[in-house]
Amino acid sequence: MDSEDDMHDANDVDSYEEDYYSGDAMYSEDEDDAGYEFLHNDSDDSDDVLVSRQQKNYTILKEDDILQRQEDDITTICSVLSISRDSACMLLRRYNWNVSNVHEAWFANEDKVRKAVGLLDKTEFKPPKAGELPCGICFESYPLDKTSSAACGHPFCNTCWTAYISTSINDGPGCLTLRCPIPSCGAAVGVNMVNMLTSDEDKKKYRRYLLRSYIEDNRKTKWCPAPGCDFAIEFDLGSGSYDVTCHCSYSFCWNCTEEAHRPVDCETVSKWIMKNSAESENMNWILANSKPCPKCKRPIEKNQGCMHMTCNPPCKYEFCWLCLGQWSDHGERTGGFYACNRYESAKQEGAYDESERRREMAKNSLERYTHYYERWATNQSSRQKALADLHQMQTVHLAKLSEKQCQPETQLKFIIEAWLQIVECRRVLKWTYAYGYYLPEHELAKRQFFEYLQGEAEAGLERLHQCAEKELHTYLNDDASQDAFNNFRTKLAGLTSVTRNYFENLVRALENGLSDVDAHGASSKTSSSKNAAGTSKSKGTKGKGSNKVGTTSRTDDSTGWACDQCTYMNPKNATSCQMCNNGR
Amino acid sequence: MQASRARLFKEYKEVQREKVADPDIQLVCDDSNIFKWTALIKGPSETPYEGGVFQLAFSVPEQYPLQPPQVRFLTKIFHPNVHFKTGEICLDILKNAWSPAWTLQSVCRAIIALMAHPEPDSPLNCDSGNLLRSGDVRGFQSMAKMYTRLAAMPKKG
Ligand SMILES: [Zn+2]
Ligand SMILES: [Zn+2]
Ligand SMILES: [Zn+2]
Ligand SMILES: [Zn+2]
Ligand SMILES: [Zn+2]
Ligand SMILES: [Zn+2]
Ligand SMILES: [Zn+2]
């Protein structure tokens, strides 16, 4: 982090606060990093659940937009290459709807391109001026006006054409590259013939394939993966963050099409999802907690501390958990019933070591996984709940509150802001648990820094969520004073802003691969490294705040100062924190 | 159904006329079912199948000629693209490269061409495919010849 970043940081917050209170749209021109926070939607007619985020590096396309773009691209190709719309469409499809690739290929070697796509510039077959022609499919003869042909001129009767094209359309998207039925010919059959010769239903199917091809074959566009959603997203390749939010409110990663997972990378997400679905963990659990009975081979679970195992009826075989030897053999000779030194001595000799060690490891790794998974899943369901609450707020409570407090709904936007922040933070927090799971145990400094940031962010979020959920309810139900409500407004807006700061720190740090630690590595060695995974929830924020692991650079900045207690970025001239009143 | 029947009838009449024209192929329609055909084809010369006569069975779908006929060898043949037990044939025009302009007659011609030019890279008969791919042409030919003699030639005496 250099000071320039911090300056932008401060600017962002400032511009946010200003815009926020004035109720204006808050797209600030000089904002240089892709906006991670939710922004106001300035179109009031939108009833989307989520206010759309800054749409800088992607565009959401409706079906009409897609058709329009397709038409425009076709028009461009036909005028530049002086070919028919039909041919232009086939060319574009062949080159994945990339206009400049079509130009390039065409002007490099027109003949080759024509051949590959099946655009003949002369006919193969010259029909007679009058009389009848034999159809190449049904072998009957027809008057000229009952036959049709592609550019090649090979005649087939209209009935056979209809059946031929329809069969292909109903076979799938391969119909987009349909050729003349004569095997050696290869002349393309395009949308013109489809429109001339097929039923309305088939035409519709064909157009759908053409539309899908425009999105699916194009490197820059993808369908929104939400079930039932018909929007597509066009993404500016190489423009940073892959997270996009569709008009349907679904946020997803444009790169891997999993749900949005910033700041965690796609690879980690796919590993994590595979891990969650793999049954192998269950197998490990059984391996860790059970052994086969030495007599009947059924798995026996060890759920007590004692090593004396008794198999289930009818077997009832009694054996020692450690050495799997018969229990009656145990006693004086093995160093007492409860101290199997067979095991101890064998362990020293290395005989049992391997399998026992594997069992131990599996058990530990399962516990570790369970720890992260639980927190991941909890935040997931917490986010779902928050989404539902947000919706409820927008559709029911806001109007009610507006009546109760005699304030226009536009003045209550801070509540929606808070809920949007909660939803987004739950999402980020959830993914940080997948991140934490894959963060190597031995990178102690990084782990510590990560858990510190995660803990801060989580604590902030819990305060915000609590305030938005519980405290708000009192204003919904009771007639609170104007003053009390204004205090509530200040508190909730403040918590929203503070929590946003925490999460921005967290996201930035994870996206940097926690590289700040390398610079500040020494300082993190001071505290104990024993508390491994995820004690973050129990960590208090107060004491830790003065630890300044990795965040030290924020305080020595000349444009402002970060509060030690809540990390809020205060202007230079403020003597105490504007957010929590903590002294500088 | 009607269209496929009409088309098959056309092919039937054509076959009657062409019988002399293509001495290597003898297509016969089943007496009671125009959707069942058999063919006798001569093994192409200068191949291990030379001198053999191979019987093919055609089963024509109702969507013919929009859908391809199903064809298999009834006569045992040792060939990389023919399943040794079932006689199933791996040939693109009988699958995704089918065109309604093909006829039963032209399918027979394509199969004769396949006998002369095996494609060991899409084998249905792994043994013979492996022999060819490993470059053991003589090994392949002697096996193919043996089966031609055993299965595709009239027993002497
Ligand atoms: Zn026809
Ligand atoms: Zn043609
Ligand atoms: Zn969507
Ligand atoms: Zn991704
Ligand atoms: Zn037992
Ligand atoms: Zn023991
Ligand atoms: Zn503060």
PDB file of all heavy atoms in Angstrom, chain A residues 292-300 310-319, ligand 5:
ATOM      1  N   PRO A 292     -11.718 -52.114  11.472  1.00  0.00           N
ATOM      2  CA  PRO A 292     -12.474 -53.361  11.301  1.00  0.00           C
ATOM      3  C   PRO A 292     -12.212 -54.290  12.483  1.00  0.00           C
ATOM      4  O   PRO A 292     -11.090 -54.371  12.975  1.00  0.00           O
ATOM      5  CB  PRO A 292     -11.898 -53.935  10.005  1.00  0.00           C
ATOM      6  CG  PRO A 292     -10.550 -53.317   9.865  1.00  0.00           C
ATOM      7  CD  PRO A 292     -10.568 -52.000  10.579  1.00  0.00           C
ATOM      8  N   CYS A 293     -13.283 -54.946  12.946  1.00  0.00           N
ATOM      9  CA  CYS A 293     -13.116 -55.949  13.990  1.00  0.00           C
ATOM     10  C   CYS A 293     -12.164 -57.017  13.472  1.00  0.00           C
ATOM     11  O   CYS A 293     -12.327 -57.503  12.360  1.00  0.00           O
ATOM     12  CB  CYS A 293     -14.474 -56.570  14.327  1.00  0.00           C
ATOM     13  SG  CYS A 293     -14.348 -58.124  15.235  1.00  0.00           S
ATOM     14  N   PRO A 294     -11.161 -57.379  14.251  1.00  0.00           N
ATOM     15  CA  PRO A 294     -10.179 -58.358  13.758  1.00  0.00           C
ATOM     16  C   PRO A 294     -10.806 -59.716  13.470  1.00  0.00           C
ATOM     17  O   PRO A 294     -10.235 -60.507  12.734  1.00  0.00           O
ATOM     18  CB  PRO A 294      -9.167 -58.463  14.899  1.00  0.00           C
ATOM     19  CG  PRO A 294      -9.578 -57.520  15.956  1.00  0.00           C
ATOM     20  CD  PRO A 294     -10.875 -56.904  15.598  1.00  0.00           C
ATOM     21  N   LYS A 295     -11.998 -59.964  14.028  1.00  0.00           N
ATOM     22  CA  LYS A 295     -12.596 -61.284  13.823  1.00  0.00           C
ATOM     23  C   LYS A 295     -13.610 -61.270  12.679  1.00  0.00           C
ATOM     24  O   LYS A 295     -13.498 -62.032  11.732  1.00  0.00           O
ATOM     25  CB  LYS A 295     -13.277 -61.736  15.118  1.00  0.00           C
ATOM     26  CG  LYS A 295     -13.558 -63.225  15.137  1.00  0.00           C
ATOM     27  CD  LYS A 295     -14.045 -63.628  16.512  1.00  0.00           C
ATOM     28  CE  LYS A 295     -14.685 -65.016  16.484  1.00  0.00           C
ATOM     29  NZ  LYS A 295     -15.624 -65.154  17.610  1.00  0.00           N
ATOM     30  N   CYS A 296     -14.612 -60.356  12.765  1.00  0.00           N
ATOM     31  CA  CYS A 296     -15.681 -60.388  11.769  1.00  0.00           C
ATOM     32  C   CYS A 296     -15.539 -59.308  10.703  1.00  0.00           C
ATOM     33  O   CYS A 296     -16.312 -59.253   9.763  1.00  0.00           O
ATOM     34  CB  CYS A 296     -17.045 -60.277  12.443  1.00  0.00           C
ATOM     35  SG  CYS A 296     -17.386 -58.622  13.063  1.00  0.00           S
ATOM     36  N   LYS A 297     -14.561 -58.423  10.863  1.00  0.00           N
ATOM     37  CA  LYS A 297     -14.222 -57.399   9.859  1.00  0.00           C
ATOM     38  C   LYS A 297     -15.229 -56.272   9.709  1.00  0.00           C
ATOM     39  O   LYS A 297     -15.073 -55.404   8.856  1.00  0.00           O
ATOM     40  CB  LYS A 297     -13.986 -58.024   8.456  1.00  0.00           C
ATOM     41  CG  LYS A 297     -12.990 -59.165   8.419  1.00  0.00           C
ATOM     42  CD  LYS A 297     -11.609 -58.694   8.822  1.00  0.00           C
ATOM     43  CE  LYS A 297     -10.634 -59.878   8.847  1.00  0.00           C
ATOM     44  NZ  LYS A 297      -9.576 -59.714   9.864  1.00  0.00           N
ATOM     45  N   ARG A 298     -16.285 -56.266  10.525  1.00  0.00           N
ATOM     46  CA  ARG A 298     -17.198 -55.124  10.444  1.00  0.00           C
ATOM     47  C   ARG A 298     -16.529 -53.917  11.086  1.00  0.00           C
ATOM     48  O   ARG A 298     -15.777 -54.065  12.055  1.00  0.00           O
ATOM     49  CB  ARG A 298     -18.512 -55.429  11.179  1.00  0.00           C
ATOM     50  CG  ARG A 298     -19.471 -56.250  10.347  1.00  0.00           C
ATOM     51  CD  ARG A 298     -20.805 -56.363  11.050  1.00  0.00           C
ATOM     52  NE  ARG A 298     -20.650 -56.949  12.386  1.00  0.00           N
ATOM     53  CZ  ARG A 298     -21.654 -57.085  13.246  1.00  0.00           C
ATOM     54  NH1 ARG A 298     -22.850 -56.672  12.923  1.00  0.00           N
ATOM     55  NH2 ARG A 298     -21.463 -57.633  14.436  1.00  0.00           N
ATOM     56  N   PRO A 299     -16.794 -52.707  10.563  1.00  0.00           N
ATOM     57  CA  PRO A 299     -16.140 -51.544  11.175  1.00  0.00           C
ATOM     58  C   PRO A 299     -16.700 -51.260  12.567  1.00  0.00           C
ATOM     59  O   PRO A 299     -17.905 -51.313  12.790  1.00  0.00           O
ATOM     60  CB  PRO A 299     -16.458 -50.400  10.208  1.00  0.00           C
ATOM     61  CG  PRO A 299     -17.615 -50.860   9.414  1.00  0.00           C
ATOM     62  CD  PRO A 299     -17.629 -52.347   9.416  1.00  0.00           C
ATOM     63  N   ILE A 300     -15.811 -50.983  13.495  1.00  0.00           N
ATOM     64  CA  ILE A 300     -16.216 -50.663  14.857  1.00  0.00           C
ATOM     65  C   ILE A 300     -15.810 -49.233  15.135  1.00  0.00           C
ATOM     66  O   ILE A 300     -14.677 -48.839  14.860  1.00  0.00           O
ATOM     67  CB  ILE A 300     -15.477 -51.552  15.879  1.00  0.00           C
ATOM     68  CG1 ILE A 300     -15.632 -53.003  15.487  1.00  0.00           C
ATOM     69  CG2 ILE A 300     -15.954 -51.257  17.282  1.00  0.00           C
ATOM     70  CD1 ILE A 300     -16.539 -53.780  16.341  1.00  0.00           C
ATOM     71  N   THR A 310     -15.364 -53.959  22.401  1.00  0.00           N
ATOM     72  CA  THR A 310     -16.184 -55.161  22.295  1.00  0.00           C
ATOM     73  C   THR A 310     -17.033 -55.026  21.045  1.00  0.00           C
ATOM     74  O   THR A 310     -17.779 -54.063  20.886  1.00  0.00           O
ATOM     75  CB  THR A 310     -17.105 -55.315  23.521  1.00  0.00           C
ATOM     76  OG1 THR A 310     -16.293 -55.281  24.690  1.00  0.00           O
ATOM     77  CG2 THR A 310     -17.863 -56.626  23.457  1.00  0.00           C
ATOM     78  N   CYS A 311     -16.887 -55.970  20.143  1.00  0.00           N
ATOM     79  CA  CYS A 311     -17.620 -55.911  18.876  1.00  0.00           C
ATOM     80  C   CYS A 311     -19.111 -56.104  19.122  1.00  0.00           C
ATOM     81  O   CYS A 311     -19.529 -56.661  20.133  1.00  0.00           O
ATOM     82  CB  CYS A 311     -17.080 -56.988  17.926  1.00  0.00           C
ATOM     83  SG  CYS A 311     -17.833 -56.903  16.285  1.00  0.00           S
ATOM     84  N   ASN A 312     -19.927 -55.609  18.192  1.00  0.00           N
ATOM     85  CA  ASN A 312     -21.376 -55.738  18.311  1.00  0.00           C
ATOM     86  C   ASN A 312     -21.799 -57.202  18.259  1.00  0.00           C
ATOM     87  O   ASN A 312     -21.126 -58.034  17.668  1.00  0.00           O
ATOM     88  CB  ASN A 312     -22.056 -54.993  17.169  1.00  0.00           C
ATOM     89  CG  ASN A 312     -21.805 -53.502  17.270  1.00  0.00           C
ATOM     90  OD1 ASN A 312     -21.756 -52.937  18.359  1.00  0.00           O
ATOM     91  ND2 ASN A 312     -21.587 -52.867  16.125  1.00  0.00           N
ATOM     92  N   PRO A 313     -22.945 -57.521  18.906  1.00  0.00           N
ATOM     93  CA  PRO A 313     -23.476 -58.876  18.788  1.00  0.00           C
ATOM     94  C   PRO A 313     -23.785 -59.173  17.321  1.00  0.00           C
ATOM     95  O   PRO A 313     -24.143 -58.229  16.610  1.00  0.00           O
ATOM     96  CB  PRO A 313     -24.764 -58.858  19.618  1.00  0.00           C
ATOM     97  CG  PRO A 313     -24.817 -57.514  20.279  1.00  0.00           C
ATOM     98  CD  PRO A 313     -23.791 -56.638  19.690  1.00  0.00           C
ATOM     99  N   PRO A 314     -23.714 -60.361  16.845  1.00  0.00           N
ATOM    100  CA  PRO A 314     -23.440 -61.569  17.628  1.00  0.00           C
ATOM    101  C   PRO A 314     -21.946 -61.830  17.837  1.00  0.00           C
ATOM    102  O   PRO A 314     -21.608 -62.754  18.571  1.00  0.00           O
ATOM    103  CB  PRO A 314     -24.051 -62.673  16.745  1.00  0.00           C
ATOM    104  CG  PRO A 314     -23.886 -62.143  15.359  1.00  0.00           C
ATOM    105  CD  PRO A 314     -23.985 -60.658  15.446  1.00  0.00           C
ATOM    106  N   CYS A 315     -21.084 -61.036  17.236  1.00  0.00           N
ATOM    107  CA  CYS A 315     -19.649 -61.328  17.295  1.00  0.00           C
ATOM    108  C   CYS A 315     -19.101 -61.193  18.721  1.00  0.00           C
ATOM    109  O   CYS A 315     -18.528 -62.118  19.269  1.00  0.00           O
ATOM    110  CB  CYS A 315     -18.903 -60.409  16.340  1.00  0.00           C
ATOM    111  SG  CYS A 315     -17.113 -60.477  16.479  1.00  0.00           S
ATOM    112  N   LYS A 316     -19.301 -60.027  19.309  1.00  0.00           N
ATOM    113  CA  LYS A 316     -18.885 -59.752  20.690  1.00  0.00           C
ATOM    114  C   LYS A 316     -17.416 -59.996  20.964  1.00  0.00           C
ATOM    115  O   LYS A 316     -17.011 -60.196  22.109  1.00  0.00           O
ATOM    116  CB  LYS A 316     -19.717 -60.590  21.684  1.00  0.00           C
ATOM    117  CG  LYS A 316     -21.173 -60.155  21.758  1.00  0.00           C
ATOM    118  CD  LYS A 316     -21.828 -60.936  22.868  1.00  0.00           C
ATOM    119  CE  LYS A 316     -23.324 -60.715  22.960  1.00  0.00           C
ATOM    120  NZ  LYS A 316     -23.946 -61.721  23.840  1.00  0.00           N
ATOM    121  N   TYR A 317     -16.631 -59.999  19.938  1.00  0.00           N
ATOM    122  CA  TYR A 317     -15.203 -60.233  20.112  1.00  0.00           C
ATOM    123  C   TYR A 317     -14.594 -59.073  20.886  1.00  0.00           C
ATOM    124  O   TYR A 317     -14.883 -57.906  20.602  1.00  0.00           O
ATOM    125  CB  TYR A 317     -14.548 -60.362  18.731  1.00  0.00           C
ATOM    126  CG  TYR A 317     -13.069 -60.663  18.772  1.00  0.00           C
ATOM    127  CD1 TYR A 317     -12.613 -61.904  19.247  1.00  0.00           C
ATOM    128  CD2 TYR A 317     -12.139 -59.736  18.322  1.00  0.00           C
ATOM    129  CE1 TYR A 317     -11.264 -62.193  19.267  1.00  0.00           C
ATOM    130  CE2 TYR A 317     -10.782 -60.013  18.340  1.00  0.00           C
ATOM    131  CZ  TYR A 317     -10.347 -61.244  18.817  1.00  0.00           C
ATOM    132  OH  TYR A 317      -9.007 -61.528  18.837  1.00  0.00           O
ATOM    133  N   GLU A 318     -13.793 -59.399  21.868  1.00  0.00           N
ATOM    134  CA  GLU A 318     -13.149 -58.358  22.659  1.00  0.00           C
ATOM    135  C   GLU A 318     -11.710 -58.202  22.220  1.00  0.00           C
ATOM    136  O   GLU A 318     -10.977 -59.189  22.136  1.00  0.00           O
ATOM    137  CB  GLU A 318     -13.210 -58.709  24.145  1.00  0.00           C
ATOM    138  CG  GLU A 318     -14.618 -58.640  24.689  1.00  0.00           C
ATOM    139  CD  GLU A 318     -14.660 -59.028  26.159  1.00  0.00           C
ATOM    140  OE1 GLU A 318     -14.064 -58.298  26.970  1.00  0.00           O
ATOM    141  OE2 GLU A 318     -15.276 -60.071  26.458  1.00  0.00           O
ATOM    142  N   PHE A 319     -11.354 -56.971  21.917  1.00  0.00           N
ATOM    143  CA  PHE A 319      -9.986 -56.767  21.440  1.00  0.00           C
ATOM    144  C   PHE A 319      -9.452 -55.406  21.868  1.00  0.00           C
ATOM    145  O   PHE A 319     -10.180 -54.562  22.385  1.00  0.00           O
ATOM    146  CB  PHE A 319      -9.920 -56.933  19.917  1.00  0.00           C
ATOM    147  CG  PHE A 319     -10.716 -55.903  19.143  1.00  0.00           C
ATOM    148  CD1 PHE A 319     -10.086 -54.790  18.607  1.00  0.00           C
ATOM    149  CD2 PHE A 319     -12.086 -56.058  18.946  1.00  0.00           C
ATOM    150  CE1 PHE A 319     -10.811 -53.842  17.884  1.00  0.00           C
ATOM    151  CE2 PHE A 319     -12.809 -55.111  18.231  1.00  0.00           C
ATOM    152  CZ  PHE A 319     -12.173 -54.001  17.694  1.00  0.00           C
TER     153      PHE A 319
HETATM  154 ZN    ZN C   5     -16.584 -58.650  15.382  1.00  0.00          ZN
END
